[in-house]
């Protein structure tokens, strides 16, 4: 899921993560491997967001954090990809009023 700049801001306010800018040298390779997404880095590795189940009670426009790769070194410079794994984190993409 590709996020707007407002959605990136809402995500980073709710979840300790850093969005990779489209200009980052790794983004073309990540897009080739994982598709068109906003890529998010945290202490666990590389993540994306996927739309949450709209049938959840009281659901707002929300997304589930999916981990795609874990850090393979202590300096957080190398990622090891794996099958996508939902983290259990939910991010609200639209403000609740």
């Amino acid at each position: 899921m590709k996020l707007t700049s407002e959605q990136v801001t809402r995500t980073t306010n709710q979840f300790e993560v850093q969005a990779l800018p489209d200009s980052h040298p790794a983004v073309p390779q990540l897009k080739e491997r994982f598709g068109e997404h906003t890529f998010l880095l945290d202490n666990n590795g590389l993540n994306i967001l996927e739309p949450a189940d709209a049938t959840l009670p009281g659901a707002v426009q929300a997304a589930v954090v999916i981990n795609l790769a874990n850090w393979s070194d202590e300096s957080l410079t190398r990622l090891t990809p794996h099958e996508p794994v939902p983290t259990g984190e939910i991010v609200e993409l639209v403000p609740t009023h």
Side-chain angles (χ1 to χ4, degrees):
M1 157 175 209
K2 188 73 174 159
L3 303 177
T4 66
S5 59
E6 181 180 321
Q7 290 171 326
V8 169
T9 299
R10 290 194 54 75
T11 299
T12 58
N13 287 340
Q14 296 173 63
F15 181 60
E16 196 168 320
V17 67
Q18 177 184 0
L20 283 179
D22 285 337
S23 60
H24 190 281
V27 168
Q29 184 179 7
L30 292 171
K31 285 183 181 179
E32 184 177 311
R33 180 167 181 131
F34 300 112
E36 185 71 28
H37 293 281
T38 299
F39 295 98
L40 308 165
L41 294 173
D42 68 4
N43 288 334
N44 295 318
L46 179 69
N47 305 285
I48 59 171
L49 297 181
E50 289 292 346
D53 185 353
T55 63
L56 292 173
V60 296
Q61 187 178 352
V64 178
V65 179
I66 306 291
N67 181 262
L68 300 175
N70 292 333
W71 296 112
S72 58
D73 64 343
E74 290 183 20
S75 60
L76 306 182
T77 58
R78 300 187 75 115
L79 290 164
T80 301
H82 54 74
E83 289 297 314
V85 177
T87 66
E89 296 279 343
I90 303 286
V91 176
E92 292 181 6
L93 298 174
V94 175
T96 55
H97 297 286

